[in-house]
Amino acid sequence: MPTKQVELKGPRELEAMRAAGRIAAEVLAYLRSQVRPGACASDLDRMAREEILRRGATPAFLGYRGFPAAVCVSVNCEVVHGIPSAQKIFRSGDIVSLDFGVLYEGYYGDTALSVGVGEVPVEVRRLMEVTEEALQKAISVSYPGNRLGDIGHIIQGCAHRAGLSVVRDFVGHGIGRNLHEEPQVLNYGAQGTGLRLVEGMVLAIEPMFNLGTSEVAVLEDGWTVVTCDGRPSAHFEHTVAITEQGPEVLTKI
Ligand code: MG
């Protein structure tokens, strides 16, 4: 049984979260279009701040537990929480993961994607495709009556069938008036287990798959999570509302 309270959202709250999600999706689409050889991560961070503020929202990650930027930019073996810098310059063949959140009229939206820079090795392209597909499949089972374990199980299955590993140290989460709420949304699990999904839950579902080992470590900067074998990682995330009619992706691009 869950020991902590999951906050359910009513129609009015969901409407506010749609607005936050839409802003996050628009900004992410724009940032993705700016990833190219020679561009640098701090340029993306500047654009993220501008685009978020221009839409009347606030960058949710900036200052969160002291995070120094509006967007996490994680390159190649960096899994999540990469800090943007002018030294982080994209080269053809890189995989770049962008993750950020916005706060709009009291509610959060959270979304992420990975994108290849120029010509990307076929195995890295497949890593991205399978991770995105796992997110889509997880969304497709996010119906009232199903369980959190169904989400984890389908994500894990996608990775394993493709010979990829699942990052277990970082997980998805509930979202609403807080960036991170109950419940935790694991990227692994057993079918038919865990908390039952009910109408009004809003979940940030975010599979992270690695080409090599599932083991990760945090760098000395206290933020950047990297794979322990230095091989590439991919990350896709949507904010998803559980409705009577089924899953509603609030951060759809
Ligand atoms: Mg998240």
Side-chain angles (χ1 to χ4, degrees):
M1 287 300 291
T3 52
K4 295 175 197 159
Q5 194 66 32
V6 175
E7 282 223 15
L8 301 180
K9 281 80 182 174
R12 197 184 49 77
E13 292 167 296
L14 212 52
E15 200 46 50
M17 293 200 73
R18 280 191 190 101
R22 202 175 304 123
I23 291 170
E26 285 174 11
V27 175
L28 188 62
Y30 177 72
L31 295 180
R32 179 177 61 182
S33 75
Q34 299 303 309
V35 174
R36 56 177 72 112
C40 76
S42 54
D43 286 344
L44 288 187
D45 184 51
R46 179 181 45 76
M47 291 176 215
R49 293 182 198 215
E50 287 171 3
E51 294 297 319
I52 292 167
L53 293 173
R54 203 160 65 76
R55 289 167 171 82
T58 308
F61 287 14
L62 184 62
Y64 182 82
R65 293 180 173 170
F67 190 76
V71 58
C72 297
V73 183
S74 307
V75 181
N76 296 332
C77 69
E78 296 175 352
V79 181
V80 287
H81 305 165
I83 299 174
S85 77
Q87 286 73 48
K88 207 177 257 189
I89 298 165
F90 309 140
R91 294 177 187 81
S92 185
D94 285 346
I95 170 174
V96 176
S97 298
L98 305 172
D99 182 8
F100 75 99
V102 304
L103 173 62
Y104 183 70
E105 295 187 348
Y107 289 88
Y108 286 90
D110 191 359
T111 186
L113 58 72
S114 296
V115 57
V117 183
E119 284 296 307
V120 174
V122 65
E123 59 176 6
V124 175
R125 184 153 303 283
R126 187 162 156 278
L127 168 69
M128 288 190 285
E129 287 167 1
V130 173
T131 312
E132 185 169 20
E133 185 191 330
L135 173 58
Q136 294 304 336
K137 285 192 169 170
I139 292 166
S140 76
V141 299
S142 296
Y143 274 83
N146 281 348
R147 291 175 181 270
L148 281 177
D150 296 320
I151 291 177
H153 178 79
I154 205 161
I155 290 173
Q156 184 176 31
C158 287
H160 289 175
R161 275 192 303 278
L164 303 171
S165 68
V166 178
V167 175
R168 299 171 76 96
D169 294 5
F170 295 87
V171 299
H173 49 92
I175 180 168
R177 284 192 173 276
N178 302 286
L179 182 57
H180 296 115
E181 297 183 354
E182 292 297 317
Q184 289 202 331
V185 183
L186 275 55
N187 293 315
Y188 53 92
Q191 241 169 342
T193 66
L195 187 66
R196 199 177 284 282
L197 305 181
V198 297
E199 190 184 353
M201 282 182 179
V202 182
L203 306 175
I205 306 174
E206 47 179 324
M208 298 156 220
F209 289 176
N210 297 346
L211 210 48
T213 180
S214 66
E215 296 301 312
V216 298
V218 180
L219 295 185
E220 282 168 8
D221 63 21
W223 283 106
T224 313
V225 177
V226 296
T227 58
C228 286
D229 60 4
R231 300 192 72 197
S233 184
H235 178 210
F236 285 83
E237 174 179 23
H238 275 308
T239 297
V240 181
I242 312 298
T243 79
E244 200 182 4
Q245 291 79 34
E248 180 180 343
V249 181
L250 305 182
T251 47
K252 197 174 203 150
I253 288 182

